Amino acid sequence: MPLTQLRSSFWRVGHGREVELGARSVLMAIVNVTPDSFSDGGRYMSVEGAVAHAFEAANQGAHIIDIGGESTRPGAAAVTPSEEQARVLPVIEALRGQTDALISIDTYRAETARLAVGAGAHIINDVFGLQKQPEIGNIAADTGAGLCLMHTGRDREKLPDVIADQFAFLERSLEIASAAGVLKDHVVLDPGFGFAKDTQENIELMARFSELHRLGFPLLAGTSRKRFVGAVTGREAADRDVGTAATSALLRLAGASIFRVHDVAINRDALAIADAMLAARCSFEQGTLA
């Protein structure tokens, strides 16, 4: 990990807030208000259950609460915009002003994004990187919301090289964001582990993760309980948190700044070790250069 990745920078997000990136890993907790998400579907379907889970995650060290109302697992049933909004908006409204954690809305629908930011969300997390509903870019620009642009291989033909495909897709997403007026310091990128990628592609993406720094934006890693973690460890979805924590630590060493996870506590501890090691490396390298 280059020393420049440890220098402090800020991800500007909505409602006048910001996220400091650099020496300390940032945790984004997953709160699925869905009946069919792959590892925790139905556990937090009530507003009360989702809010309690969000507070627990914040108490464990989550800096961001990512709230989603539609499962993105392969083969999941689509929901209508009104169903999605009925699930997520009451949770956002209940959390607003009740926690220091930032609120993220996990959606690819512009209307849901607009309503969510109005209800108090600071960040829009779009799993189609503005390439399904580009209007999300305009909403982010108009409101000052933070924007997470994710790579996906779904519904299109991928390039054979895993990193070349990342650049082809994400550069297009960045073009859409820029045309909409989204400022650079409001954007982070997510390489989309598990989204139309097989086990070998995901492992190669981890191995070559540092190449993504050429895009020039902070990077978010979302490996939590993904199928490739199960393929490597032999674990079912609910038992993949140790494997996830290993990927988090490795990707931190490769320069990821933000980690989207189900189990905050185990990833917090793994990342604390990675952060401490990086700080020691930085101190040593600065000393040898002095």
Side-chain angles (χ1 to χ4, degrees), residues 89-112:
L89 295 178
V91 178
I92 295 170
E93 291 165 353
L95 289 172
R96 181 179 57 193
Q98 301 302 311
T99 175
D100 288 334
L102 297 169
I103 301 170
S104 170
I105 177 64
D106 180 1
T107 188
Y108 58 85
R109 293 187 176 92
E111 181 64 8
T112 300

Side-chain angles (χ1 to χ4, degrees), residues 44 46-59 91 95:
Y44 311 113
S46 71
V47 173
E48 296 78 10
V51 169
H53 180 50
F55 282 137
E56 179 184 19
N59 289 336
V91 178
L95 289 172

